[in-house]
């Protein structure tokens, strides 16, 4: 048997410095959808996520909780896993940077860089942003504040190790040039070149002595490894790189898609490939930089009291509705906005009116006119029959193109294009009139095409809204696993004889009372975490 092609996907490892909101959950939700999509296409897909548990920020937060950092992160790891379970994230490994399997190898990597001379000792004097754990030069500041988070920076000086970034700047540019798929969307590449590489890449300070909560440098333990060098190597250490058992590394490296938010683009698009070049390793095929979910009044923040936690939405509106909103709201290359109004509107229009109604109407008519048995394919009997087949096949190809570009929101729009076309098809062919006029052949054809189109929709929805897809299959009476595969939507199946739809359809989504629900979300998003 031919071995399946592998597809390694990573999310950033999260700082466990507080409860995760819908914005932080976004990266993981798209990563999970991508994994399920690649699996559907037959790839051996592997998804890594985890926690970035070292650094001054974590040390400080743990202190605020009167806890030892290790106890604090242990608790947070339990919480993070609970959330991923609630979001039904199909991850294959969850790495924590305090685990032995990581710390040992991160130390080995640091040692290796010391041995090759890529890391050298010097003194750092600069402006430091504590929450971001990053030094900046005067010129990098924006209005005198941290360019990443906008907070105050303070002058600091310490003995430190540096990574010789300058040495690799040219190689990195050459790599960008010869690998057009490396950075998605492309404008992020221009940003990196113009803002950071062209003005002159600074060597990176890769150790700290001002606090302890980190991985000690083996050969000089008063230094801890800079949290970003520590964290970035997780993508390798999780696969057993440089360890006794490195079969996962052999199998999955280089990563196929690494997904990161825009705030951490610089680390992943500049430092990360440079570390890999220095290690003599292959560079990931694609790094997807996504934009952010914002609120109408800017970023979500405790002080504004505008944070939305995934639990609020999942518990009241269900997992698939929550995921649908997240996937749809951020078009990847632009910020998206969460507002209670928009959430409720999308729920009522996209999910209830468009998708829900299509399923209900189809199930209802098959029961009414055919006692549940789906009619056989009998060619094209109505002028719209051929057109609907053609349109759906075309939309499916466009869906594939959007997914190739990792444009999740646009990919969903292609699926909704099929849904809208099907609803229009019902209106145009008016099956109730065909039934009345006893135009049996025409009615057979409409009903066959509707069921088959809905089967396409359910197959395509599986990676994003698995429960909804399952429910559509159940209601349509599609039990055979072969009818749910990627292969099965290459062509319209002619033979649906085995299919009997359910007697009474279960509504997929129940229409929300607009005012009440907007009010509900608004009231609850003000609440601070327990
Ligand atoms: N620990 C680093 C990553 C190290 S990877 C080697 C980190 N962690 S984080 O917890 O702060 O962020 C995790 C992810 O959440 C990032 O991809 C970040 O961009 C994303 N988001 C945080 N807020 C977000 C929104 N409001 N919207 C979308 N994504 C957001 O960075």
């Amino acid at each position: 048997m031919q071995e399946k092609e592998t597809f390694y996907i990573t999310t950033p490892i999260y700082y466990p410095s507080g409860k995760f909101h819908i914005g932080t959950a976004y990266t993981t939700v798209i990563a999970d959808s991508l994994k399920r999509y690649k699996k559907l296409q037959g790839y051996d897909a592997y998804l890594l996520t985890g926690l970035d548990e070292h650094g001054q920020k974590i040390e400080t937060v743990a202190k605020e909780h009167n806890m030892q950092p290790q106890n604090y992160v242990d608790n947070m790891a339990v919480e993070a896993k609970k959330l991923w379970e609630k979001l039904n994230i199909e991850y294959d490994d969850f790495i924590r940077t305090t685990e032995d399997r990581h710390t040992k190898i991160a130390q080995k990597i640091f040692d290796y860089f010391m041995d090759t001379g890529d890391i050298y000792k010097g003194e750092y004097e600069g402006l430091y942003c504590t929450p971001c754990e990053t030094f900046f030069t005067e010129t990098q500041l924006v209005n005198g504040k941290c360019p990443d988070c906008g907070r105050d920076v303070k002058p600091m000086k310490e003995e430190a190790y540096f990574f010789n970034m300058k040495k690799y700047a040219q190689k990195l540019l050459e790599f960008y040039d010869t690998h057009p798929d490396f950075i998605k969307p492309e404008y992020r590449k221009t940003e990196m070149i113009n803002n950071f590489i062209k003005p002159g890449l600074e060597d990176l300070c890769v150790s700290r002595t001002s606090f302890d909560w980190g991985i000690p440098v083996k050969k000089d333990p008063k230094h801890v490894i800079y949290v970003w060098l520590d964290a970035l190597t997780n993508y390798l250490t999780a696969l057993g790189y440089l360890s006794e058992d490195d079969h996962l590394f052999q199998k999955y490296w280089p990563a196929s898609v690494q997904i990161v938010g825009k705030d951490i683009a610089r680390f992943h698009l500049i430092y990360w490939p440079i570390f890999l070049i220095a290690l003599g390793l292959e560079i990931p095929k694609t790094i997807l930089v996504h934009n952010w979910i914002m609120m109408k009044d800017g970023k979500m923040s405790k002080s504004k009291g505008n944070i939305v936690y995934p639990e609020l939405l999942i518990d009241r509106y269900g997992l698939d509705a929550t995921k649908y909103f997240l996937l749809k709201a951020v078009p990847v290359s632009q910020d998206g906005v969460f507002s209670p109004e928009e959430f409720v509107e999308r729920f009522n229009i996209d999910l209830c009116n468009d998708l829900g109604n299509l399923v209900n109407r189809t199930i209802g008519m098959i029961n009414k006119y055919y006692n549940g048995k789906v009619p056989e394919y009998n060619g094209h009997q109505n002028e719209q029959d051929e057109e609907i087949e053609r349109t759906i096949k075309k939309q499916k190809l466009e869906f594939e193109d959007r997914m190739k570009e990792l444009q999740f929101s646009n990919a969903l729009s292609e699926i909704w294009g099929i849904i809208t076309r099907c609803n229009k098809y019902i209106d145009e062919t008016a099956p109730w009139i065909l039934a009345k006029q006893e135009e049996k052949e025409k009615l057979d054809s409409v009903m066959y095409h509707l069921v088959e189109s809905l089967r396409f929709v359910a197959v395509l929805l599986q990676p994003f809204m698995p429960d909804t897809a399952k429910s559509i299959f159940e209601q349509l009476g599609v039990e055979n696993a072969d009818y749910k595969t990627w292969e099965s939507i290459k062509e319209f199946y002619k033979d649906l004889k085995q299919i009997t739809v359910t007697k009474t359809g279960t509504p997929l989504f129940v229409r929300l009372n607009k005012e009440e629900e907007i009010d509900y979300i608004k009231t609850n998003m003000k609440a601070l975490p327990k």
Side-chain angles (χ1 to χ4, degrees):
M1 208 178 90
Q2 209 188 342
E3 268 208 54
K4 287 190 202 164
E5 237 184 286
T6 60
F7 202 92
Y8 178 36
I9 305 163
T10 67
T11 72
I13 46 171
Y14 287 70
Y15 287 128
S17 56
K19 205 168 144 59
F20 300 156
H21 54 59
I22 51 165
T24 26
Y26 175 75
T27 316
T28 306
V29 166
I30 59 176
D32 176 67
S33 298
L34 180 61
K35 175 186 166 180
R36 290 170 189 265
Y37 174 64
K38 292 319 272 190
K39 245 177 74 181
L40 180 66
Q41 288 189 316
Y43 285 81
D44 172 350
Y46 192 92
L47 171 61
L48 172 69
T49 189
L51 289 184
D52 183 1
E53 300 184 336
H54 291 123
Q56 197 166 13
K57 182 153 91 181
I58 301 298
E59 196 179 68
T60 311
V61 179
K63 229 179 246 159
E64 283 165 15
H65 286 78
N66 281 326
M67 285 171 100
Q68 289 301 319
Q70 189 64 56
N71 291 343
Y72 172 77
V73 294
D74 286 349
N75 286 351
M76 293 305 280
V78 174
E79 290 306 309
K81 285 183 182 170
K82 264 194 219 155
L83 177 61
W84 299 150
E85 200 174 308
K86 193 158 182 120
L87 279 158
N88 196 11
I89 304 298
E90 234 184 36
Y91 59 83
D92 296 278
D93 194 2
F94 185 100
I95 183 136
R96 300 178 52 193
T97 53
T98 53
E99 286 174 274
D100 259 12
R101 61 170 171 154
H102 173 79
T103 54
K104 278 193 193 138
I105 307 301
Q107 283 178 323
K108 266 196 197 173
I109 292 174
F110 198 99
D111 279 1
Y112 174 80
F113 286 148
M114 282 171 86
D115 293 344
T116 57
D118 282 330
I119 284 182
Y120 62 90
K121 201 184 227 174
E123 196 173 59
Y124 201 90
E125 213 178 339
L127 299 159
Y128 193 67
C129 173
T130 308
C132 294
E133 324 234 15
T134 311
F135 275 110
F136 293 101
T137 58
E138 198 84 51
T139 53
Q140 285 173 326
L141 301 182
V142 175
N143 302 326
K145 310 254 183 199
C146 168
D148 288 341
C149 75
R151 279 179 270 214
D152 286 336
V153 292
K154 58 179 181 201
M156 277 210 346
K157 186 174 174 177
E158 61 183 32
E159 176 192 282
Y161 286 96
F162 287 84
F163 188 97
N164 191 347
M165 290 289 164
K166 287 190 197 93
K167 175 174 154 194
Y168 292 100
Q170 193 50 39
K171 278 203 181 113
L172 181 66
L173 286 175
E174 280 161 22
F175 180 81
Y176 282 178
D177 256 4
T178 47
H179 296 79
D181 282 337
F182 176 54
I183 301 180
K184 282 186 197 249
E186 214 193 327
Y187 75 88
R188 295 281 176 199
K189 177 164 87 183
T190 322
E191 235 172 57
M192 292 300 127
I193 296 176
N194 292 345
N195 300 353
F196 301 105
I197 307 178
K198 269 206 188 134
L201 200 54
E202 302 280 337
D203 287 353
L204 180 71
C205 179
V206 288
S207 77
R208 299 286 186 269
T209 50
S210 51
F211 60 89
D212 299 328
W213 184 239
I215 305 176
V217 172
K218 220 34 201 288
K219 295 178 181 166
D220 194 354
K222 73 172 187 296
H223 289 260
V224 294
I225 301 177
Y226 172 47
V227 69
W228 269 103
L229 174 53
D230 163 356
L232 285 165
T233 60
N234 92 87
Y235 304 127
L236 301 169
T237 60
L239 296 181
Y241 172 63
L242 295 185
S243 71
E244 249 164 56
D245 178 5
D246 71 349
H247 78 280
L248 288 176
F249 178 75
Q250 297 302 341
K251 182 170 177 189
Y252 290 109
W253 195 258
S256 311
V257 177
Q258 299 203 275
I259 304 179
V260 302
K262 62 178 180 179
D263 55 322
I264 54 175
R266 181 162 54 98
F267 298 97
H268 285 85
L269 301 180
I270 297 179
Y271 305 140
W272 175 227
I274 287 183
F275 290 144
L276 291 170
I277 297 173
L279 285 169
L281 293 179
E282 275 187 79
I283 294 177
K285 296 194 184 104
T286 295
I287 295 195
L288 171 71
V289 180
H290 67 72
N291 278 41
W292 269 29
I293 297 191
M294 306 297 279
M295 303 303 280
K296 274 188 181 151
D297 52 353
K299 275 191 187 179
M300 273 181 256
S301 79
K302 283 189 194 171
S303 54
K304 285 189 199 151
N306 64 355
I307 305 186
V308 180
Y309 295 104
E311 292 88 344
L312 161 69
L313 302 177
I314 298 171
D315 290 344
R316 191 146 175 112
Y317 309 108
L319 177 58
D320 279 4
T322 306
K323 291 209 306 195
Y324 175 74
F325 185 88
L326 295 182
L327 288 158
K328 187 78 192 130
V330 182
V332 173
S333 49
Q334 274 164 263
D335 283 340
V337 174
F338 176 91
S339 74
E341 292 81 2
E342 172 96 8
F343 182 87
V344 173
E345 184 143 319
R346 283 209 180 280
F347 188 101
N348 280 345
I349 295 178
D350 302 4
L351 301 181
C352 295
N353 287 7
D354 296 348
L355 177 60
N357 270 350
L358 175 63
V359 175
N360 277 349
R361 290 163 101 187
T362 307
I363 305 285
M365 289 190 289
I366 301 270
N367 273 314
K368 189 166 172 195
Y369 305 135
Y370 295 90
N371 209 14
K373 227 45 217 132
V374 179
E376 272 184 65
Y377 176 77
N378 62 353
H380 300 134
Q381 303 294 334
N382 308 277
E383 56 182 279
Q384 296 89 349
D385 296 349
E386 197 204 343
E387 196 263 336
I388 195 156
E389 265 189 49
R390 213 178 336 109
T391 311
I392 289 173
K393 282 188 213 153
K394 189 172 136 266
Q395 301 268 135
K396 186 214 145 195
L397 292 179
E398 277 169 16
F399 165 86
E400 259 184 282
D401 284 347
R402 303 290 98 79
M403 285 303 286
K404 230 181 242 158
E405 285 310 307
L406 306 169
Q407 301 278 350
F408 301 91
S409 175
N410 295 338
L412 280 180
S413 300
E414 299 300 340
I415 303 180
W416 255 257
I418 299 180
I419 295 169
T420 311
R421 182 65 197 96
C422 289
N423 276 321
K424 203 165 144 232
Y425 176 65
I426 299 180
D427 298 339
E428 285 169 359
T429 52
W432 46 93
I433 296 178
L434 297 178
K436 216 183 210 168
Q437 295 172 345
E438 294 181 13
E439 301 243 35
K440 189 174 171 325
E441 287 192 341
K442 284 189 171 182
L443 187 62
D444 282 1
S445 184
V446 173
M447 286 302 136
Y448 158 84
H449 279 97
L450 271 179
V451 169
E452 185 55 355
S453 305
L454 253 185
R455 191 183 67 81
F456 264 59
V457 168
V459 171
L460 292 174
L461 276 181
Q462 288 177 107
F464 313 96
M465 302 168 77
D467 295 340
T468 305
K470 190 164 165 246
S471 174
I472 300 175
F473 283 134
E474 272 167 16
Q475 298 196 44
L476 286 182
V478 175
E479 284 165 8
N480 186 343
D482 293 344
Y483 280 63
K484 302 175 186 174
T485 62
W486 184 247
E487 275 294 296
S488 78
I489 54 167
K490 266 198 178 140
E491 285 297 329
F492 268 48
Y493 274 176
K494 303 285 184 261
D495 176 12
L496 298 180
K497 272 201 297 278
Q498 37 114 9
I499 295 182
T500 308
V501 304
T502 49
K503 276 286 161 229
T504 40
T506 336
L508 293 174
F509 301 96
V510 179
R511 211 180 157 73
L512 303 176
N513 177 309
K514 207 168 158 188
E515 283 71 36
E516 268 174 30
E517 297 309 319
I518 291 175
D519 197 48
Y520 177 86
I521 300 174
K522 279 189 178 161
T523 314
N524 284 284
M525 75 186 199
K526 286 192 182 123
L528 292 176
K530 289 177 209 123

